[in-house]
Structures are given as C-alpha cells and as structure tokens.
Amino acid sequence: MATIELPEAPSTTARAGEFEYNFPAIRGVQAGREYYITMCPLRLIPRLFLFDEDELPAEMRAQRTLNRSRVPEMARYITENPDNYIFSALTASVDADVTFRSLMPEQSGPAERVGTLSIPMEAKFVINDGQHRRAAIQQALSENSALGDETIAIVMFMDVGLERCQQMFADLNRYAIRPSKSIGVLYDHRDPMAAVTRLVIDQIPLFKDLTETESNNLSPRSRKLFTLSALHTATGALLEGVEAETLTERVDLAVRFWKAVADQFPLWKQVLRGDVTAGEVRKDFIHTHSVVLHALGIVGNTLLIEHRDEDWAELLAGLQGLDWHRSAEDPWEGRATTGGRVTKSRANVQLTSEYIAQVLGLEEKNDGDSA
C-alpha cells in the first residue's frame, strides 16, 4: 500500500520569472468544475484573502457588506479560547490560471488527488464565504501574534467572473439556518448562565420533563410547556446583579425561586401528571409564554436582592389571584398581548413585569434585556 506524504505549508517559488504561491492541496470536482482544499496559516489570511470594499454598490460586489460590529466579538472568541476555539473553512475564488501537481501522478483514485497547487502571486483571492471570520482572524492576530502559525481550511474555486462569484455567495447561503437559541444554550459550555440554566432545569422535575431543549417554538401538539431559550432569558434576568460567590449558590437561588413560582400555578403540575395537555394550557393561558417567564424573572430579581431571606411563597401567593387567560383583556391587553396575540418586545416584558410587581406589592428595577 502506497504512503502519501502531504506537502508542507504554503510557500513561494519563482518559476520562469514568475513568482507563485505553492499550497498543499487536495483536488475535487463539483458540478464538473475542479476545486481545491488546502490549509493556510492564519498569519497569511489577511494578506491573501480579500473582501470587496464597502463603497462598491451591491451589484458590483460578490458578498454582503462587512458588518464590523460582529468582528470584535468573534476575535475575542479566538483570543479568549486559544486552546479550544474552532472556525470552519473559508471559501474563496481565485482569478488566475493555477497548476496542480499530483504527488503520485501515476496513481489513480485518492492518491492522485493529493498534491501541490501553484497560484501566481498576482492572483486575486476573493472571499465568497467567511469574510467575518477573516476579519476576526486579522484582529485576533493583532492581539496575539502567536496564533499566526495555526491553520484554517480553505476551499478554493477557480474564478469565472463576478456573476459566478455572486451566484456562489447566493448558493452557499441559500440553505443556511441559524441554530435555535434553545439548542445553543443546551450545547454552550462556555457561557456560565447557560450552565446555570441547564442545572436549574435538571433539578426541578417539572422543568426537566416539560422543557423543549431544541426549538424556540412549540407546536400545538407538543407535550412541553416551556422552551429552554425562554427559561434561559428569564433566569438571566432573575440573577442579574445578584451576589453569589459560586455557581452552586446561583443555581440554588434560581431553583428556590422557580420552585416557589411553580407552586403558584397548579395547571403546570396538572400537565406534569397528564391531567391536562400542554397544548391546551398554552392555547388558553399566558403564564408559560416567554414574555411572562421573562417578566417573572425580573420580578424575582427583586426578591433575590431585597427579600432574599423571606418566605417567597407568601410573597408570590398573589400570582394565583390573577386571571391568566390569554383572552383576558384586563390586565394583559397592551401588556403581554396585542390584539389578543401574545407578544414579546422590550416594552411588553417591562409592562408585564411592572404590573406583576404591583400586584405582589414589590418594586422591581427596569430591565433592558428583551432577549
């Protein structure tokens, strides 16, 4: 069995008076066109791979305008996680005649596809997908030059003009779907609040059984009452500014609060027992919807800060006296509902939390987050 030795990192050579880049590469074919996959040191990314300038009109560009506000956060992700960050491959077009030299030209199959891709130095590399990753890499390198020897995968297509590049951008993004916030919270092991939310749900049987962890939306037939994203936002509001020395203490406080809240809603426990369906409760009542959960988190923040050692069950007992029917115009229309539909804007959350606090005899602080 033949052994294939991969080429080394990209280098430059001069051949017949022409300077060129030499990339270790694997050759592939899509839609009858050759493309190449290579690895490139991060320090070369800002110099090789360009994106169109913002001042060009959209019809003359091959990608969207760079959203510079996204770059610092992406750069921090790299610099703050140097041992376990991950970036997917960049996709680029090259507007030059390239030469691929197989390491084993006499072979067929996989062995013949591995080799060296030579590209003239005057070639232009245009990012088709990943310009924000490229900008973040550039900023991260300015803060930590040691990252320069690390590599990122590059998928290179041969440029056949602006129209083809624009079509590539459209095709690459055609089926892109952003993951739901719920599954993001479920899988995020960097965010301490995501960890708190997962632990809280795990320690409250009602939440553990009735929380949807993948989707931000619940279908009419879903047996779940809550979404992980809604509980994450609500728990974040609950613990904002609360003094707690350890993760365990924050979790214990949140568990104590949400258990006290659950005791005020007998319908939640009826769903858990199977006496009524989750769909019926969500259809007729608003107390499981994200706008109310967020508002309850804001109200609970007052309990944690100003009534930490008091009996929360007694303070929250007023929740049982409210008419939680979605159809109840008084008090929910203009607060949690608009035209009978549950809505969640910053104003909706704030108005709902203020009303609940008033009913309970609490004064809660403003909360600017409507996530």
Side-chain angles (χ1 to χ4, degrees):
M1 181 176 180
T3 300
I4 301 175
E5 294 185 3
L6 290 172
E8 298 179 354
S11 60
T12 58
T13 59
R15 179 173 57 86
E18 182 182 81
F19 287 93
E20 59 186 16
Y21 296 108
N22 295 303
F23 291 89
I26 298 174
R27 179 172 58 185
V29 176
Q30 279 188 7
R33 295 185 177 93
E34 288 189 350
Y35 71 98
Y36 303 90
I37 301 173
T38 184
M39 291 179 292
C40 184
L42 297 187
R43 56 185 163 77
L44 294 182
I45 296 300
R47 292 192 306 177
L48 291 180
F49 300 95
L50 308 176
F51 54 87
D52 292 329
E53 295 299 327
D54 293 350
E55 57 265 21
L56 288 176
E59 62 271 17
M60 295 301 294
R61 286 188 267 114
Q63 67 233 146
R64 76 190 86 184
T65 302
L66 186 72
N67 183 350
R68 299 186 186 280
S69 64
R70 292 179 55 193
V71 176
E73 182 179 359
M74 296 175 69
R76 282 196 302 274
Y77 164 70
I78 304 174
T79 57
E80 293 177 3
N81 302 281
D83 296 327
N84 57 5
Y85 74 91
I86 182 169
F87 263 9
S88 57
L90 304 178
T91 301
S93 296
V94 183
D95 68 344
D97 293 328
V98 303
T99 303
F100 178 78
R101 300 179 182 87
S102 173
L103 290 181
M104 304 183 71
E106 70 283 358
Q107 300 288 327
S108 60
E112 184 268 338
R113 299 172 191 160
V114 179
T116 300
L117 180 67
S118 298
I119 303 175
M121 292 191 71
E122 64 268 19
K124 181 180 180 182
F125 300 80
V126 176
I127 294 285
N128 299 109
D129 182 60
Q131 74 263 35
H132 290 92
R133 273 165 278 157
R134 174 220 174 273
I137 288 170
Q138 182 174 2
Q139 181 169 325
L141 288 171
S142 69
E143 300 173 16
N144 183 2
S145 60
L147 294 167
D149 291 330
E150 299 198 356
T151 59
I152 188 170
I154 309 291
V155 181
M156 293 187 185
F157 290 89
M158 299 305 102
D159 188 6
V160 290
L162 178 62
E163 181 177 343
R164 171 62 180 164
C165 286
Q166 291 176 336
Q167 187 63 57
M168 286 173 61
F169 176 85
D171 290 346
L172 286 166
N173 290 278
R174 185 180 303 275
Y175 302 110
I177 300 177
R178 184 180 180 87
S180 71
K181 182 179 177 182
S182 286
I183 204 166
V185 173
L186 183 67
Y187 291 164
D188 191 345
H189 297 279
R190 301 186 197 280
D191 179 12
M193 185 50 62
V196 168
T197 304
R198 291 194 301 268
L199 289 169
V200 168
I201 290 173
D202 193 58
Q203 293 183 32
I204 302 177
L206 185 145
F207 281 179
K208 186 174 183 179
D209 192 63
L210 298 179
T211 299
E212 167 59 49
T213 58
E214 291 192 42
S215 175
N216 294 342
N217 301 300
L218 297 172
S219 68
R221 294 186 178 183
S222 173
R223 60 175 301 274
K224 307 295 185 180
L225 276 181
F226 319 100
T227 65
L228 180 55
S229 61
L231 288 174
H232 177 259
T233 298
T235 302
L238 171 70
L239 296 175
E240 182 180 358
V242 174
E243 294 183 3
E245 295 183 358
T246 65
L247 175 70
T248 299
E249 186 177 356
R250 292 171 68 81
V251 171
D252 289 345
L253 286 170
V255 167
R256 180 186 165 200
F257 171 75
W258 287 118
K259 281 185 174 179
V261 168
D263 288 339
Q264 312 310 313
F265 295 105
L267 272 175
W268 293 7
K269 296 183 179 181
Q270 290 180 36
V271 174
L272 184 64
R273 293 194 302 266
D275 297 336
V276 295
T277 68
E280 290 174 322
V281 172
R282 295 195 314 273
K283 177 182 177 182
D284 295 333
F285 300 90
I286 65 169
H287 46 54
T288 65
H289 288 260
S290 60
V291 61
V292 172
L293 293 174
H294 192 168
L296 288 170
I298 296 172
V299 172
N301 185 257
T302 302
L303 294 181
L304 268 63
I305 293 176
E306 300 180 8
H307 306 274
R308 188 156 178 165
D309 299 322
E310 298 182 36
D311 184 357
W312 293 348
E314 183 177 343
L315 291 169
L316 292 170
L319 293 175
Q320 296 191 44
L322 289 174
D323 184 353
W324 293 100
H325 283 87
R326 182 201 296 251
S327 59
E329 293 188 6
D330 183 15
W332 305 123
E333 182 64 25
R335 292 189 175 100
T337 64
T338 302
R341 296 177 61 87
V342 179
T343 54
K344 189 192 177 188
S345 66
R346 180 174 310 199
N348 291 122
V349 171
Q350 193 59 45
L351 289 170
T352 303
S353 66
E354 288 173 354
Y355 176 74
I356 293 173
Q358 178 185 348
V359 169
L360 300 181
L362 302 172
E363 293 183 2
E364 42 80 29
K365 65 185 182 68
N366 289 338
D367 177 79
D369 180 15
S370 65

